[in-house]
Amino acid sequence: MNTPLVSLIDAGKSYQDLDALKSVTMYLNQGEVMGLFGHNGAGKTTMMKLILGVISPSRGKVEVMGMAPDSKAAWHSRTKVGYLPENVSFYEQLTGLEVLSYFAKLKGFTKGRAKKQAIDLLEQVGITHAMKRPVKTYSKGMRQRLGLAQAFIGEPKLLLLDEPTVGLDPMATRDFYQTVDQLKSNGSSIILCSHVLPGVEQHIDRAMILSTGQLLAMGTLAELRQQAALPVAIKPSGLNGSLANDSRLNGFLTANCPETLLVPEQEKLSVLRQLLSHEGLDDLHVEAANLEQVYQHFLSLHEKQHELSLHGKQDESGERKS
């Protein structure tokens, strides 16, 4: 079994009375893309900072490339790590080329190689035309592209991306995901944190869902769908309302979607066979729950459990008073 590139074992971070990250266990393998999802304050950035070694865990263990990232021994391995923070900022007076050349030198590139790396990356993210302009003249989208270029310096072994597509137009977002796919194929491991869920799922291997510092779910999209037991939506066309008269199928219809069947995964094939027996059927569209629906399911479940817990505590306090 290969040693994970990143491992968190019961890792948590507390600030006085606040548990920013509760005991989380996760492993990231080489060449794997992990999607990290959660609302603001869920603990995503705290987890990234623990992996970067910027902060130390209050409990548990964090290892990156075989060592604690906050240890002195980990300094040399930081050149193999790329990071894009949620809010990027650079020296306003420097040009894009000067900014990237500077960061490339920090990562160990010689002066000549640093400039070449900077030019190549500026071309990759599509801002070559602005490379000799001061950063203060850049738009938000251009700054985000410059931030991505900075994170990609030296084809990092580990890449941490916090809201990487904020400020990017659809074309730039597409180009970004192509770069992620390329880095993955070259063996890089990536943790991708995003609020924008549509379009993410085909680029990640597994997903982690956090809420209030707690790990709610982790796995492939297929595994999370199975855990959530979300139905498959089957949309037939050409039946002109005849589904309502089919006793084997009308139980899967809902008032909100009169022409859509919401079917448990394990019954999908038998429902499809029954639909194919209808003479008027001219097309079928089968749609499994997407990442956004899976995310909302686990978040809603957590909120309900939290409410029940609060009611339980209130009832206990009421009983004690009486």
Side-chain angles (χ1 to χ4, degrees):
M1 187 177 174
N2 293 332
T3 304
L5 193 75
V6 176
S7 64
L8 276 72
I9 301 167
D10 290 329
K13 181 66 180 178
S14 300
Y15 298 95
Q16 294 177 339
D17 294 333
L18 173 69
D19 283 336
L21 193 71
K22 292 164 188 174
S23 296
V24 169
T25 296
M26 67 82 75
Y27 302 96
L28 181 73
N29 299 311
Q30 190 169 335
E32 184 179 27
V33 180
M34 176 79 79
L36 180 58
F37 307 112
H39 53 74
N40 288 333
K44 306 183 302 293
T45 301
T46 300
M47 186 172 141
M48 285 195 170
K49 286 181 177 178
L50 285 172
I51 293 168
L52 286 165
V54 175
I55 58 175
S56 300
S58 304
R59 59 198 163 276
K61 186 178 176 184
V62 180
E63 275 197 0
V64 177
M65 301 179 207
M67 59 190 78
D70 58 345
S71 66
K72 288 182 180 179
W75 278 101
H76 72 278
S77 66
R78 290 190 180 181
T79 58
K80 300 171 189 172
V81 178
Y83 174 54
L84 176 72
E86 183 175 358
N87 300 304
V88 293
S89 60
F90 298 106
Y91 301 110
E92 297 280 296
Q93 306 303 322
L94 295 182
T95 66
L97 180 58
E98 287 169 338
V99 166
L100 277 196
S101 298
Y102 170 70
F103 279 107
K105 284 177 201 168
L106 286 179
K107 282 209 165 184
F109 285 79
T110 59
K111 187 177 179 181
R113 284 184 65 233
K115 187 173 181 181
K116 184 184 184 307
Q117 170 85 168
I119 291 169
D120 290 346
L121 286 169
L122 286 162
E123 185 177 354
Q124 185 178 320
V125 299
I127 51 173
T128 306
H129 64 282
M131 70 179 182
K132 293 189 177 176
R133 278 169 40 191
V135 170
K136 66 180 179 182
T137 68
Y138 283 22
S139 66
K140 183 180 178 183
M142 289 168 71
R143 287 170 190 249
Q144 191 71 5
R145 289 177 187 235
L146 186 61
L148 286 170
Q150 173 274 133
F152 294 153
I153 290 171
E155 290 197 345
K157 198 173 175 183
L158 174 63
L159 195 55
L160 304 174
L161 303 171
D162 199 349
E163 301 296 340
T165 58
V166 170
L168 297 185
D169 57 49
M171 289 289 285
T173 300
R174 184 204 65 188
D175 292 344
F176 160 72
Y177 281 121
Q178 283 180 349
T179 304
V180 165
D181 294 342
Q182 183 62 48
L183 286 165
K184 179 193 167 183
S185 67
N186 291 342
S188 294
S189 301
I190 300 164
I191 295 178
L192 173 61
C193 173
S194 180
H195 279 114
V196 187
L197 301 189
V200 174
E201 58 193 72
Q202 62 264 42
H203 301 283
I204 63 173
D205 298 300
R206 287 190 294 149
M208 275 185 81
I209 300 172
L210 293 174
S211 180
T212 58
Q214 186 177 335
L215 177 62
L216 304 188
M218 180 167 56
T220 65
L221 191 53
E223 288 167 345
L224 295 179
R225 278 195 199 111
Q226 192 173 12
Q227 285 177 40
L230 292 173
V232 177
I234 302 175
K235 300 176 184 179
S237 60
L239 297 182
N240 299 320
S242 64
L243 286 177
N245 301 319
D246 188 325
S247 60
R248 290 178 63 185
L249 297 179
N250 57 19
F252 299 114
L253 294 171
T254 64
N256 296 334
C257 310
E259 293 300 316
T260 300
L261 301 159
L262 296 178
V263 182
E265 181 73 38
Q266 64 272 21
E267 296 186 56
K268 179 176 69 176
L269 286 177
S270 64
V271 167
L272 286 172
R273 288 190 193 101
Q274 180 67 9
L275 280 168
L276 290 168
S277 71
H278 282 253
E279 289 182 9
L281 182 73
D282 56 35
D283 200 5
L284 268 175
H285 181 69
V286 181
E287 192 176 306
N290 60 30
L291 178 60
E292 195 157 9
Q293 290 166 324
V294 169
Y295 170 74
Q296 289 298 338
H297 166 83
F298 283 107
L299 214 58
S300 299
L301 186 65
H302 176 64
E303 285 168 1
K304 284 175 188 171
Q305 289 169 343
H306 182 63
E307 283 174 17
L308 286 170
S309 169
L310 287 177
H311 286 312
K313 285 176 182 175
Q314 287 170 358
D315 290 345
E316 280 180 22
S317 62
E319 283 173 15
R320 286 195 195 105
K321 283 176 186 174
S322 61

